[in-house]
Amino acid sequence: VQLQASGGGLVQPGGSLLLSCTASGSFISINTMAWYRQAPGKQRELVALATSGSSTSYADSVKGRFTISRDNAKNTVYLQMNSLKPEDTAVYYCHANIRVGVSRWYDYWGQGTLVTVSS
């Protein structure tokens, strides 16, 4: 199983970016899908999470600005980021909890995509 993330880049403060992450390989189903980020010198933190039933949760710092969504038919999770601030600068990682067997669930991580918010 692999997670492939894309969509990072350089954007000015107040701008928008759309991140996407697709799961591929052999698996039965996907439970939660989420986005984390890690800024230089800081610990990795949860940004947003979406369950298989499409319930969502967000870090307080991104509420009202970021939106997580899933396309279960495409095994893809998105993160729409609006009103970006310099403090959003980080490497963003997608994460998925995936069922690979009858009673086996594993956590997988994407490779990370850099988001830089700067003028």
Side-chain angles (χ1 to χ4, degrees), residues 2 35 41 59 68 75 80 85 107:
Q2 289 187 329
W35 289 95
I68 189 171
N75 298 320
Q80 177 66 48
K85 303 176 181 180
D107 291 322

PDB file of all heavy atoms in Angstrom, residues 2 35 41 59 68 75 80 85 107:
ATOM      1  N   GLN A   2       0.516   2.213  -0.822  1.00  0.00           N
ATOM      2  CA  GLN A   2       1.253   3.471  -0.881  1.00  0.00           C
ATOM      3  C   GLN A   2       0.284   4.641  -0.853  1.00  0.00           C
ATOM      4  O   GLN A   2      -0.831   4.548  -1.353  1.00  0.00           O
ATOM      5  CB  GLN A   2       2.085   3.541  -2.159  1.00  0.00           C
ATOM      6  CG  GLN A   2       3.279   2.609  -2.189  1.00  0.00           C
ATOM      7  CD  GLN A   2       4.161   2.845  -3.399  1.00  0.00           C
ATOM      8  OE1 GLN A   2       3.689   3.229  -4.460  1.00  0.00           O
ATOM      9  NE2 GLN A   2       5.461   2.622  -3.245  1.00  0.00           N
ATOM     10  N   TRP A  35      -4.615  14.646   7.408  1.00  0.00           N
ATOM     11  CA  TRP A  35      -3.442  15.444   7.053  1.00  0.00           C
ATOM     12  C   TRP A  35      -2.759  15.899   8.336  1.00  0.00           C
ATOM     13  O   TRP A  35      -3.415  16.381   9.261  1.00  0.00           O
ATOM     14  CB  TRP A  35      -3.833  16.652   6.220  1.00  0.00           C
ATOM     15  CG  TRP A  35      -4.271  16.301   4.841  1.00  0.00           C
ATOM     16  CD1 TRP A  35      -5.545  16.105   4.406  1.00  0.00           C
ATOM     17  CD2 TRP A  35      -3.428  16.093   3.707  1.00  0.00           C
ATOM     18  NE1 TRP A  35      -5.550  15.782   3.076  1.00  0.00           N
ATOM     19  CE2 TRP A  35      -4.254  15.772   2.611  1.00  0.00           C
ATOM     20  CE3 TRP A  35      -2.043  16.156   3.503  1.00  0.00           C
ATOM     21  CZ2 TRP A  35      -3.756  15.518   1.347  1.00  0.00           C
ATOM     22  CZ3 TRP A  35      -1.541  15.895   2.238  1.00  0.00           C
ATOM     23  CH2 TRP A  35      -2.397  15.573   1.177  1.00  0.00           C
ATOM     24  N   GLY A  41      11.645  22.557  13.218  1.00  0.00           N
ATOM     25  CA  GLY A  41      11.866  22.671  14.651  1.00  0.00           C
ATOM     26  C   GLY A  41      10.665  22.356  15.509  1.00  0.00           C
ATOM     27  O   GLY A  41      10.717  22.526  16.735  1.00  0.00           O
ATOM     28  N   ALA A  59      -7.759  20.974  13.541  1.00  0.00           N
ATOM     29  CA  ALA A  59      -7.004  21.700  14.547  1.00  0.00           C
ATOM     30  C   ALA A  59      -7.602  23.090  14.671  1.00  0.00           C
ATOM     31  O   ALA A  59      -8.073  23.677  13.682  1.00  0.00           O
ATOM     32  CB  ALA A  59      -5.535  21.784  14.140  1.00  0.00           C
ATOM     33  N   ILE A  68     -11.216  19.459   4.752  1.00  0.00           N
ATOM     34  CA  ILE A  68     -10.805  18.116   4.346  1.00  0.00           C
ATOM     35  C   ILE A  68     -12.010  17.416   3.724  1.00  0.00           C
ATOM     36  O   ILE A  68     -13.147  17.575   4.181  1.00  0.00           O
ATOM     37  CB  ILE A  68     -10.241  17.307   5.532  1.00  0.00           C
ATOM     38  CG1 ILE A  68      -9.624  15.994   5.042  1.00  0.00           C
ATOM     39  CG2 ILE A  68     -11.303  17.067   6.596  1.00  0.00           C
ATOM     40  CD1 ILE A  68      -8.846  15.249   6.135  1.00  0.00           C
ATOM     41  N   ASN A  75     -10.271   6.576  -3.523  1.00  0.00           N
ATOM     42  CA  ASN A  75      -9.323   6.365  -2.413  1.00  0.00           C
ATOM     43  C   ASN A  75      -8.451   7.596  -2.200  1.00  0.00           C
ATOM     44  O   ASN A  75      -7.244   7.480  -1.958  1.00  0.00           O
ATOM     45  CB  ASN A  75      -8.459   5.129  -2.668  1.00  0.00           C
ATOM     46  CG  ASN A  75      -9.266   3.860  -2.757  1.00  0.00           C
ATOM     47  OD1 ASN A  75     -10.219   3.663  -1.994  1.00  0.00           O
ATOM     48  ND2 ASN A  75      -8.920   2.994  -3.695  1.00  0.00           N
ATOM     49  N   GLN A  80      -8.303  21.367   1.150  1.00  0.00           N
ATOM     50  CA  GLN A  80      -8.417  22.700   0.557  1.00  0.00           C
ATOM     51  C   GLN A  80      -7.985  23.706   1.610  1.00  0.00           C
ATOM     52  O   GLN A  80      -8.587  23.779   2.688  1.00  0.00           O
ATOM     53  CB  GLN A  80      -9.854  22.977   0.106  1.00  0.00           C
ATOM     54  CG  GLN A  80     -10.055  24.371  -0.445  1.00  0.00           C
ATOM     55  CD  GLN A  80      -9.302  24.608  -1.741  1.00  0.00           C
ATOM     56  OE1 GLN A  80      -9.365  23.798  -2.657  1.00  0.00           O
ATOM     57  NE2 GLN A  80      -8.573  25.718  -1.824  1.00  0.00           N
ATOM     58  N   LYS A  85      -1.604  31.470   5.871  1.00  0.00           N
ATOM     59  CA  LYS A  85      -0.770  32.370   6.670  1.00  0.00           C
ATOM     60  C   LYS A  85       0.666  31.848   6.671  1.00  0.00           C
ATOM     61  O   LYS A  85       0.899  30.648   6.483  1.00  0.00           O
ATOM     62  CB  LYS A  85      -1.291  32.392   8.112  1.00  0.00           C
ATOM     63  CG  LYS A  85      -2.740  32.787   8.254  1.00  0.00           C
ATOM     64  CD  LYS A  85      -3.190  32.672   9.705  1.00  0.00           C
ATOM     65  CE  LYS A  85      -4.653  33.041   9.877  1.00  0.00           C
ATOM     66  NZ  LYS A  85      -5.088  32.934  11.296  1.00  0.00           N
ATOM     67  N   ASP A 107      -1.300   1.696   9.772  1.00  0.00           N
ATOM     68  CA  ASP A 107      -1.173   3.118   9.485  1.00  0.00           C
ATOM     69  C   ASP A 107      -0.140   3.331   8.387  1.00  0.00           C
ATOM     70  O   ASP A 107       0.959   2.775   8.445  1.00  0.00           O
ATOM     71  CB  ASP A 107      -0.748   3.881  10.739  1.00  0.00           C
ATOM     72  CG  ASP A 107      -1.844   3.902  11.789  1.00  0.00           C
ATOM     73  OD1 ASP A 107      -3.019   4.014  11.402  1.00  0.00           O
ATOM     74  OD2 ASP A 107      -1.516   3.816  12.984  1.00  0.00           O
TER      75      ASP A 107
END
